[in-house]
Amino acid sequence: MSLVVWCFSFSCLATESQLKVNKKAVIKGVAFKGDIEARRDKGILHRKHADIGVRLPLAIKDLTLGVHYRRVYSLEEDGWALENRPYVQLEQKFKGNNKLDWRLRVRQEFRDREGKGRSKRSRVRAKVVLPKRIFNAKPFVSHEYYYDLTAHQLSQTRVDMGVTFDKFKTVVPQLSFKIVAKQKDKWQTSSAIVLSLAF
């Protein structure tokens, strides 16, 4: 019921809708991850991707190294354009004095885009999860900056606000509202309602 109420509350504000499906398996402390995602803009599927990777725990407590490969398809005027995107990331988790669950992630992406060539991009995200539950769900908020190392400029910012629900049978649902500002000829803003299902 909470999922339905949340969707209807924010769907009128969002220009996009997104669906993510995540799968994780942990073997001897090493996490193997995979996900798929689809994005719709005004009812039209315009972006999809598949991602596989591994997360390794490092010597420092709650610090992990991730090595991933993402295959992205974006809808262009002449059809689907492919992007190959290997990336590496470091993520540190820690708790503040107020018991907030903080996560800091730094990601380095290497992008090979059909028709656009190669580029590199750095991303830095801070995320905080509130300690108190609201209706069997944990609220969170995150803010991420994207820096284009090829063009030497800030190219995008992103804010996510949402809730992660308790596990239901084998799935953990998460619902969020995303606001993105992208730098093209000028800054352009869009928003999306995002449903994630983690197995």
Side-chain angles (χ1 to χ4, degrees), residues 72-159:
V72 182
Y73 292 91
S74 301
L75 187 60
E76 305 287 347
E77 290 182 1
D78 55 349
W80 290 98
L82 171 64
E83 176 185 341
N84 292 296
R85 188 191 300 178
Y87 64 90
V88 294
Q89 71 176 40
L90 287 171
E91 185 171 33
Q92 177 71 59
K93 298 180 183 179
F94 55 93
K95 289 195 179 291
N97 294 333
N98 49 11
K99 296 185 179 178
L100 293 175
D101 181 7
W102 288 89
R103 298 173 192 186
L104 181 63
R105 187 183 75 189
V106 178
R107 178 180 290 182
Q108 179 66 51
E109 298 178 327
F110 305 90
R111 310 174 72 192
D112 186 5
R113 295 178 290 174
E114 202 169 41
K116 296 182 180 179
R118 296 181 179 178
S119 63
K120 294 182 286 187
R121 184 170 70 178
S122 290
R123 296 168 56 171
V124 179
R125 186 189 75 179
K127 180 178 180 180
V128 61
V129 181
L130 278 63
K132 291 189 177 180
R133 308 177 80 75
I134 300 175
F135 301 115
N136 299 324
K138 280 191 174 182
F140 68 88
V141 63
S142 68
H143 195 180
E144 186 167 16
Y145 292 92
Y146 297 62
Y147 188 82
D148 189 324
L149 292 166
T150 306
H152 302 291
Q153 66 177 14
L154 183 68
S155 60
Q156 184 173 322
T157 65
R158 170 178 168 174
V159 175

Side-chain angles (χ1 to χ4, degrees), residues 9-197:
S9 298
F10 287 100
S11 59
C12 61
L13 302 175
T15 56
E16 287 188 11
S17 59
Q18 293 179 214
L19 174 64
K20 292 180 173 183
V21 179
N22 308 298
K23 176 66 179 173
K24 180 172 78 171
V26 180
I27 302 173
K28 295 184 178 179
V30 177
F32 297 88
K33 298 185 66 120
D35 73 66
I36 57 173
E37 179 181 314
R39 298 183 185 180
R40 290 183 164 279
D41 184 2
K42 297 174 184 174
I44 298 172
L45 180 66
H46 71 96
R47 187 183 184 281
K48 52 190 178 179
H49 81 234
D51 190 308
I52 57 170
V54 61
R55 304 279 174 88
L56 307 165
L58 300 180
I60 300 172
K61 183 181 178 184
D62 295 325
L63 178 66
T64 58
L65 169 67
V67 180
H68 286 251
Y69 169 72
R70 179 172 289 182
R71 194 170 179 91
V72 182
Y73 292 91
S74 301
L75 187 60
E76 305 287 347
E77 290 182 1
D78 55 349
W80 290 98
L82 171 64
E83 176 185 341
N84 292 296
R85 188 191 300 178
Y87 64 90
V88 294
Q89 71 176 40
L90 287 171
E91 185 171 33
Q92 177 71 59
K93 298 180 183 179
F94 55 93
K95 289 195 179 291
N97 294 333
N98 49 11
K99 296 185 179 178
L100 293 175
D101 181 7
W102 288 89
R103 298 173 192 186
L104 181 63
R105 187 183 75 189
V106 178
R107 178 180 290 182
Q108 179 66 51
E109 298 178 327
F110 305 90
R111 310 174 72 192
D112 186 5
R113 295 178 290 174
E114 202 169 41
K116 296 182 180 179
R118 296 181 179 178
S119 63
K120 294 182 286 187
R121 184 170 70 178
S122 290
R123 296 168 56 171
V124 179
R125 186 189 75 179
K127 180 178 180 180
V128 61
V129 181
L130 278 63
K132 291 189 177 180
R133 308 177 80 75
I134 300 175
F135 301 115
N136 299 324
K138 280 191 174 182
F140 68 88
V141 63
S142 68
H143 195 180
E144 186 167 16
Y145 292 92
Y146 297 62
Y147 188 82
D148 189 324
L149 292 166
T150 306
H152 302 291
Q153 66 177 14
L154 183 68
S155 60
Q156 184 173 322
T157 65
R158 170 178 168 174
V159 175
D160 290 82
M161 300 166 284
V163 289
T164 303
F165 294 91
D166 289 342
K167 188 173 184 179
F168 178 72
K169 294 187 177 179
T170 60
V171 64
V172 177
Q174 183 182 91
L175 204 52
S176 61
F177 184 69
K178 178 179 80 171
I179 302 170
V180 176
K182 291 184 178 180
Q183 169 75 290
K184 293 186 179 177
D185 295 331
K186 60 180 181 178
W187 285 97
Q188 299 176 353
T189 305
S190 63
S191 57
I193 188 81
V194 184
L195 173 62
S196 299
L197 304 173

